[in-house]
Amino acid sequence: MFKKSLFLVVLLFASSLIFAQAPLERVSVSSDISSTEALGSNGFLFETLDAGINTKFSEYASGFFKNKFIMVSSKKIGGLAKMDPNTGEAYKNIFCLDIEEDGTLKKPLLFSRLINTSENNEYQISFSPDEHTMYYTRSKESNTAIYELYKTTLEVNSVGNWIEQEKLAINLEGYSIENPFVSPNGKQLYFSSNRPGTFGGFDIFVSDILEGGTLSNPENLGKMINTSEDEQFPTMSKDGEYLYFASKGHINFGGFDLFRTTASKLDVDAPRNLGNTINSKYDEMAMYFASNTKGYMTSNKSFGKGAYDIFKFEVEEILQSLEGKVLDVVTQLPLPNATLQLKDENGVVLDEVITGNDAKYNFTIKPFDDYTITVVKDGFEDKDFNFKSIKGDDRSYRKNILLDATKAEIVEVEDRKLIKVENIFFDFNKANIKSESTITLNKIYDVLVENPEMTININAHSDNRGKASYNLVLSRKRAASAKAYLINKGITKKRIASQGFGEAQPLIDCKSNCTEEEYKQNRRIEFVINQ
């Protein structure tokens, strides 16, 4: 809908933070961000442009209806428009506008002559998901600074005949209800109010929407959201995952700033300022999303045309990098073929990587999100690590993940006793033991030390690719290499025998139709205990 954003996300590896070789730790955001200097962009890159319909009068964003944009404006309707003594502008009315492909707004028309009046302010409105029920606010004639909440229904099969207008029972005499917003699932109505029970000024409340559109008793969203200053203009992302609102009370750049918090964790996570690419020393408020990345907001920025103007925006979340190596905790050797999964706070797998010979991994993450990294490697204990970035800029975090090797087991298979370990790996077509497999051979060494009377046969087997004679020689060399390693570690020669069988004793007799997994199982070294 909008022009493609000009912002590019760059991972600045030069500004990497090097973590100590300890488990990743979950960190608190609030302990690190105490001023607007520390906030910066705070993980967001916004591009904001004039929406195209601003005038010298005030315009406020108010959502969407039937693929039209809804705004509230004090622009005069006719030369005899009455003035609001509290604002010095004409009484506010509700307008609907067309939306161009690039997000520009045009052709403002009065939304409904049944709802708009000349004697009162009509302010923010919101609709049920089916757009058949509307909640709207209207100022009192006796005091235009106080708004009351109304509900109305769209007559069936009508274009715009709003019927059954009623003032709702949650209104309290002398207190204002403003900025209603129906949740995307249609089950809750959020609004701001200075009613009794606030922490100071205006707070954000929520009511359940009951059968027939009536509302339950309002509940304050709590001290994690509300402060002693004003919190207003609650809205939500299209998927209902995030709650957005404007606040004067949290750490901000001045006036109202826009904030975001996870809707399911309102009482747990501190709200996140949307940063200095959208917030300023002026008021920013009334944010409505047309998609996950585009929408509209209201501000009284100095370069606007009126007291308050509507701006269209496009946002990109800054991406960061979490990278490092998977290492053995004792030897610090790199561990290839380790599987790492990046999971969100709900356990959903976001990404998966398998380490190569360099044992490196790399995940793309978002600032301030909670992650769990699960690491699985044959021959090692599974590990989970928690991680949360506490910086909002584009940076790379480095963390080497250390795994504990499992112990070897003594098992009985077909009347044979074996020391069970993961497979031994060699360089291609060679008898040189890969460094990671020395960790496995160390497990064999530990068993032999713990059992000084034990003797073993090292039997090496190959798959059936290549010439049988070559495979036989190679398997003998590989068995001899494993034996030599253990002898060099201090095990006496008389306790170890080695033999190569080539392709003569496959675990899976798949002949010429073997899969890679079957080849892998046939290509093995066994440590057989003499009885």
Side-chain angles (χ1 to χ4, degrees):
M1 185 171 64
F2 295 166
K3 294 179 180 178
K4 186 176 180 181
S5 173
L6 299 178
F7 294 108
L8 297 177
V9 178
V10 181
L11 300 177
L12 298 181
F13 291 94
S15 62
S16 299
L17 293 184
I18 307 300
F19 278 67
Q21 291 178 351
L24 297 175
E25 296 179 348
R26 193 180 297 274
V27 240
S28 168
V29 176
S30 59
S31 65
D32 210 61
I33 296 178
S34 57
S35 69
T36 54
E37 291 182 5
L39 284 176
S41 63
N42 214 26
F44 300 98
L45 293 175
F46 282 89
E47 181 183 22
T48 58
L49 297 170
D50 187 291
I53 42 76
N54 294 309
T55 67
K56 64 180 181 179
F57 305 104
S58 291
E59 281 86 24
Y60 301 85
S62 194
F64 304 89
F65 177 74
K66 304 290 186 184
N67 298 317
K68 302 280 189 179
F69 183 74
I70 302 299
M71 79 169 183
V72 176
S73 177
S74 61
K75 63 186 295 184
K76 290 184 178 181
I77 304 298
L80 301 177
K82 294 185 178 180
M83 307 298 289
D84 182 346
N86 281 310
T87 65
E89 294 188 320
Y91 284 110
K92 292 189 283 287
N93 285 130
I94 302 165
F95 294 80
C96 62
L97 304 95
D98 291 338
I99 305 173
E100 296 278 359
E101 187 175 347
D102 67 351
T104 301
L105 303 175
K106 66 175 186 177
K107 296 181 181 178
L109 299 173
L110 278 175
F111 173 71
S112 170
R113 296 189 181 277
L114 298 174
I115 303 300
N116 288 313
T117 64
S118 59
E119 303 294 333
N120 307 90
N121 288 298
E122 278 71 42
Y123 200 19
Q124 307 295 110
I125 65 176
S126 188
F127 301 90
S128 60
D130 63 8
E131 300 185 319
H132 291 167
T133 302
M134 176 173 70
Y135 297 88
Y136 64 99
T137 52
R138 175 180 289 154
S139 64
K140 293 174 65 71
E141 289 188 30
S142 58
N143 185 348
T144 58
I146 294 178
Y147 288 84
E148 295 176 304
L149 182 64
Y150 291 76
K151 179 180 75 72
T152 184
T153 303
L154 184 63
E155 185 179 32
V156 177
N157 297 325
S158 73
V159 176
N161 190 28
W162 294 96
I163 60 175
E164 300 174 357
Q165 299 176 33
E166 62 174 308
K167 186 163 61 175
L168 295 176
I170 66 169
N171 291 293
L172 294 177
E173 185 63 34
Y175 298 96
S176 192
I177 292 181
E178 302 177 18
N179 323 125
F181 185 84
V182 178
S183 62
N185 62 12
K187 295 181 178 181
Q188 290 86 30
L189 181 80
Y190 294 86
F191 60 88
S192 62
S193 178
N194 60 351
R195 63 193 294 119
T198 70
F199 292 92
F202 278 80
D203 278 6
I204 298 175
F205 292 79
V206 64
S207 289
D208 290 332
I209 298 177
L210 307 176
E211 187 176 356
T214 58
L215 304 176
S216 67
N217 289 329
E219 293 184 17
N220 189 297
L221 289 193
K223 62 182 180 180
M224 195 64 87
I225 301 296
N226 295 310
T227 69
S228 59
E229 301 292 335
D230 290 337
E231 279 72 40
Q232 291 189 273
F233 301 95
T235 63
M236 300 187 83
S237 56
K238 299 285 285 184
D239 56 9
E241 182 177 357
Y242 297 111
L243 175 73
Y244 293 84
F245 63 97
S247 173
K248 290 182 177 179
H250 295 280
I251 296 171
N252 59 25
F253 295 91
F256 277 112
D257 271 13
L258 290 165
F259 290 81
R260 187 182 88 174
T261 189
T262 303
S264 61
K265 301 170 68 177
L266 297 180
D267 57 347
V268 177
D269 283 353
R272 180 174 162 192
N273 189 299
L274 296 189
N276 61 10
T277 60
I278 191 167
N279 288 318
S280 68
K281 65 181 180 179
Y282 301 99
D283 291 331
E284 283 78 33
M285 59 182 70
M287 171 174 272
Y288 292 86
F289 279 83
S291 69
N292 289 333
T293 59
K294 300 170 184 178
Y296 301 87
M297 50 79 67
T298 302
S299 178
N300 60 349
K301 297 178 190 293
S302 61
F303 53 81
K305 295 181 178 178
Y308 284 93
D309 294 315
I310 298 174
F311 296 85
K312 60 181 182 179
F313 67 79
E314 184 170 357
V315 60
E316 293 182 17
E317 289 199 54
I318 289 175
L319 299 180
Q320 299 175 335
S321 172
L322 174 61
E323 60 179 23
K325 293 183 177 182
V326 181
L327 305 174
D328 172 62
V329 69
V330 176
T331 66
Q332 299 291 297
L333 287 171
L335 299 177
N337 300 308
T339 300
L340 296 90
Q341 289 185 334
L342 180 72
K343 302 175 183 178
D344 66 14
E345 60 185 338
N346 298 315
V348 176
V349 177
L350 304 175
D351 195 7
E352 178 176 295
V353 298
I354 298 175
T355 56
N357 290 331
D358 59 5
K360 291 182 179 180
Y361 73 92
N362 189 306
F363 289 120
T364 298
I365 60 173
K366 294 180 181 179
F368 308 109
D369 282 359
D370 291 293
Y371 296 100
T372 298
I373 299 94
T374 298
V375 189
V376 177
K377 162 74 176 169
D378 189 26
F380 291 83
E381 300 286 349
D382 296 349
K383 287 292 179 70
D384 284 339
F385 300 92
N386 295 323
F387 181 77
K388 182 173 185 175
S389 165
I390 60 169
K391 298 292 185 180
D393 54 2
D394 42 357
R395 64 177 59 215
S396 176
Y397 293 94
R398 181 169 179 78
K399 175 71 182 83
N400 289 338
I401 299 176
L402 308 180
L403 297 185
D404 296 295
T406 56
K407 289 187 175 183
E409 297 179 72
I410 296 176
V411 299
E412 194 163 332
V413 179
E414 298 177 353
D415 298 327
R416 295 190 306 165
K417 278 191 175 181
L418 304 175
I419 304 176
K420 182 182 177 183
V421 290
E422 61 278 8
N423 211 350
I424 304 294
F425 295 103
F426 297 86
D427 290 335
F428 179 70
N429 272 348
K430 294 181 180 180
N432 300 329
I433 299 169
K434 285 185 175 291
S435 59
E436 65 170 300
S437 288
T438 62
I439 301 168
T440 303
L441 287 171
N442 289 342
K443 299 179 186 182
I444 303 296
Y445 169 80
D446 291 339
V447 172
L448 293 172
V449 170
E450 292 169 4
N451 300 273
E453 303 301 319
M454 180 184 291
T455 62
I456 62 171
N457 290 324
I458 301 177
N459 298 337
H461 305 268
S462 71
D463 58 41
N464 61 6
R465 289 179 290 189
K467 291 182 178 181
S469 58
Y470 178 83
N471 289 336
L472 179 62
V473 172
L474 183 60
S475 65
R476 287 173 179 171
K477 289 181 179 180
R478 287 179 170 179
S481 292
K483 176 182 177 179
Y485 180 87
L486 294 171
I487 290 171
N488 288 336
K489 288 277 290 183
I491 305 299
T492 59
K493 292 180 181 180
K494 65 180 182 180
R495 296 181 64 189
I496 308 171
S498 67
Q499 188 173 2
F501 294 89
E503 60 190 66
Q505 297 180 7
L507 277 180
I508 303 172
D509 191 11
C510 50
K511 296 185 171 54
S512 61
N513 295 316
C514 298
T515 65
E516 283 300 323
E517 181 60 31
E518 289 169 335
Y519 283 134
K520 181 180 177 181
Q521 292 185 50
N522 287 336
R523 193 173 56 247
R524 70 199 187 279
I525 288 186
E526 297 174 332
F527 299 89
V528 182
I529 300 171
N530 294 315
Q531 301 185 58

